[in-house]
Amino acid sequence: MKLRNFYLASAMAASALGLAVPAHAADVKQVQVLHWWTSGGEAAALATLKSYLAKEGYAWKDVPIAGGGGAAAMTTLKAMVAAGNPPTASQILGYYALDYAKAGKLNDLNVLATKEHWDKVIPKALQKFTTTNGKWDAIPINIHSVNWLWINKAVMDKIGGTEPKNFDEFIALLDKAKKAGVIPLALGGQPWQEGTMFDSVVMSTGGPAFYKKAFVDLDPTALKSATMKKAFDNLAKLRAYVDPNYAGRDWNLATAMVIKGDALVQVMGDWAKGEFTVAHKVAGKDFLCYRFPGTEGTVIYNTDMFAMFQVPADLRGAQLALADAVMSPAVQSAFNVIKGSVPARMDVPDTAFDMCGKKGIADVKKADAAGTFVGSMTQNYAQPPAIATAYTDVVTKFFHGEIKTSDAAVAELSKAIDAAK
Ligand code: BGC
């Protein structure tokens, strides 16, 4: 009897006996994947992985949980794991993966990792999140970075703008747009979006050594410093350039404002580029990508990993096929060309990428060598989720005026981080 027929027959027999039918019995050549890639660009990028697996003979059972930044997805994942029903794999960020690994919920992928020498091609900084006690249990499909500006080129030309090289020049550029009657800054007023923007503001204000001291080391002096206060002052300046309807807006709707020319610029991770790509907009011609002013030479990263959960033994083959696909140079190129991110594998050529992608790839290599490749605080690559959430809470309260002064914001930030430790 063929394997599939065997499972169908046993499932029918089991249900005839009134026994619970295991969810996996229907098809062992299937992967169930949880993710939050629901925008146009995200879905188009994911389609490259789905079709690669389809060619290998694996079906894809989609568990999409909308919500940029992934907070809603992480809640669903937690519930599935608690119910003993984890997906084959889940999109995951940084410290979330380490928590599941520590709890013994992830599968060992060393059988593939050793054969394919993943340790040689993935940056060491990322391996902290992909391995536990020398075992690979999560795999990175990309490297995103958050310190970018995405600019509508026609609007830029109309206002006679040039690339801002520091924060003051950025403010001058936003002023030009305002005078020309264009919305200067497209923002979605959600905690994770404001936090993501503040990651860049802190880097621009204090530089990489300060960023690391404050966010990676949680050095109390750095967190309470005049530099941190200045970063909040700078964030406050940006408030003057958003439109009145920014609160609660999804990130991709903010990107659409820039694509349409209703707004000049969005400060966002390079997943924003995926939206330009699916709208058939061309880098350098229709839109511009610059590093957030004052952060050139640094990369504030967040990498999308798939955490590989413990699945019944008969689903293990499908899980390994998924891991193999994600780590294949072909998928890492095709997926990231659309997603806006760059390959997590350092050996994938930049040939298929546009000018922003080529810059992204070169920037990651340079920053990694220079020690300026640092994890995003908001995206759970500098600290575990409780601290990252405490941080975005303070940032959003400040941006929306609930915390009134930069002095108060600095004090609240230290307090919230201490409480979350
Ligand atoms: C993820 C990206 C995703 C973005 C918006 C980030 O946390 O790393 O892959 O596109 O959220 O949903």
Side-chain angles (χ1 to χ4, degrees):
M1 191 186 293
K2 280 221 182 94
L3 203 56
R4 189 187 155 83
N5 293 341
F6 167 78
Y7 280 118
L8 284 177
S10 359
M12 279 159 67
S15 69
L17 290 170
L19 300 175
V21 182
H24 65 273
D27 200 338
V28 293
K29 292 206 80 178
Q30 170 176 283
V31 292
Q32 188 193 37
V33 184
L34 188 148
H35 62 86
W36 61 95
W37 287 324
T38 54
S39 79
E42 292 172 331
L46 186 57
T48 62
L49 174 61
K50 288 183 188 172
S51 73
Y52 184 99
L53 272 168
K55 281 190 207 119
E56 305 270 304
Y58 292 92
W60 181 280
K61 195 167 167 210
D62 213 27
V63 189
I65 311 290
M74 288 303 97
T75 307
T76 303
L77 178 63
K78 200 171 170 190
M80 287 175 80
V81 174
N85 185 28
T88 318
S90 173
Q91 180 190 357
I92 205 156
L93 299 174
Y95 280 88
Y96 276 107
L98 295 186
D99 284 351
Y100 283 114
K102 261 189 234 142
K105 301 289 181 197
L106 303 185
N107 246 346
D108 179 357
L109 301 169
N110 272 9
V111 55
L112 275 183
T114 312
K115 196 171 79 190
E116 296 178 3
H117 306 292
W118 294 350
D119 60 329
K120 299 278 183 302
V121 292
I122 300 297
K124 285 281 177 289
L126 303 190
Q127 292 187 33
K128 168 175 175 190
F129 300 100
T130 56
T131 57
T132 313
N133 301 327
K135 285 189 190 132
W136 286 75
D137 47 27
I139 40 170
I141 193 164
N142 66 9
I143 299 172
H144 272 303
S145 49
V146 305
N147 53 321
W148 287 107
L149 301 184
W150 302 97
I151 293 183
N152 180 299
K153 179 152 187 313
V155 175
M156 189 74 158
D157 291 345
K158 193 177 112 192
I159 66 170
T162 52
E163 178 179 358
K165 296 286 193 186
N166 56 45
F167 194 79
D168 289 344
E169 288 182 19
F170 187 37
I171 295 296
L173 177 68
L174 294 171
D175 268 332
K176 266 183 187 237
K178 199 171 185 177
K179 284 199 190 100
V182 183
I183 297 167
L185 182 60
L187 178 68
Q190 297 172 344
W192 76 272
Q193 291 188 62
E194 289 148 348
T196 299
M197 184 163 81
F198 192 55
D199 286 355
S200 294
V201 173
V202 170
M203 180 64 90
S204 166
T205 310
F210 175 78
Y211 182 101
K212 279 195 261 183
K213 247 188 170 177
F215 290 165
V216 182
D217 306 340
L218 294 184
D219 178 291
T221 319
L223 285 169
K224 288 185 190 140
S225 63
T227 307
M228 190 57 86
K229 179 176 174 291
K230 175 106 194 287
F232 277 107
D233 287 344
N234 284 342
L235 181 66
K237 288 185 191 156
L238 297 178
R239 267 193 218 126
Y241 302 101
V242 300
D243 67 306
N245 302 322
Y246 81 100
R249 175 187 288 139
D250 285 336
W251 69 271
N252 53 320
L253 300 183
T255 312
M257 291 165 67
V258 177
I259 293 176
K260 282 194 241 142
D262 294 342
L264 171 70
V265 56
Q266 182 183 23
V267 178
M268 187 44 70
D270 38 21
W271 46 90
K273 201 191 79 179
E275 302 304 298
F276 287 92
T277 305
V278 292
H280 306 292
K281 302 295 181 192
V282 177
K285 180 171 157 280
D286 302 312
F287 69 95
L288 304 166
C289 52
Y290 298 136
R291 285 292 171 191
F292 187 92
T295 71
E296 186 69 55
T298 72
V299 168
I300 309 176
Y301 72 84
N302 71 305
T303 172
D304 287 307
M305 302 183 290
F306 289 104
M308 294 293 176
F309 284 87
Q310 301 230 334
V311 286
D314 50 8
L315 292 177
R316 177 75 172 150
Q319 186 176 57
L320 288 174
L322 172 63
D324 198 42
V326 167
M327 292 302 285
S328 78
V331 167
Q332 294 238 338
S333 182
F335 177 92
N336 289 305
V337 159
I338 302 177
K339 187 70 170 61
S341 36
V342 306
R345 290 183 68 116
M346 293 295 98
D347 60 344
V348 175
D350 70 1
T351 335
F353 289 79
D354 65 12
M355 58 184 276
C356 303
K358 284 186 171 50
K359 175 169 169 54
I361 291 173
D363 283 357
V364 163
K365 290 186 176 154
K366 270 189 263 166
D368 194 27
T372 54
F373 182 67
V374 293
S376 159
M377 178 67 154
T378 300
Q379 303 276 335
N380 299 287
Y381 276 94
Q383 293 297 330
I387 294 178
T389 308
Y391 164 78
T392 53
D393 270 2
V394 171
V395 173
T396 202
K397 280 187 186 146
F398 176 74
F399 201 82
H400 292 258
E402 223 176 292
I403 297 174
K404 302 229 178 307
T405 64
S406 299
D407 277 320
V410 165
E412 288 294 327
L413 181 63
S414 290
K415 215 166 76 189
I417 287 179
D418 279 346
K421 268 184 195 164

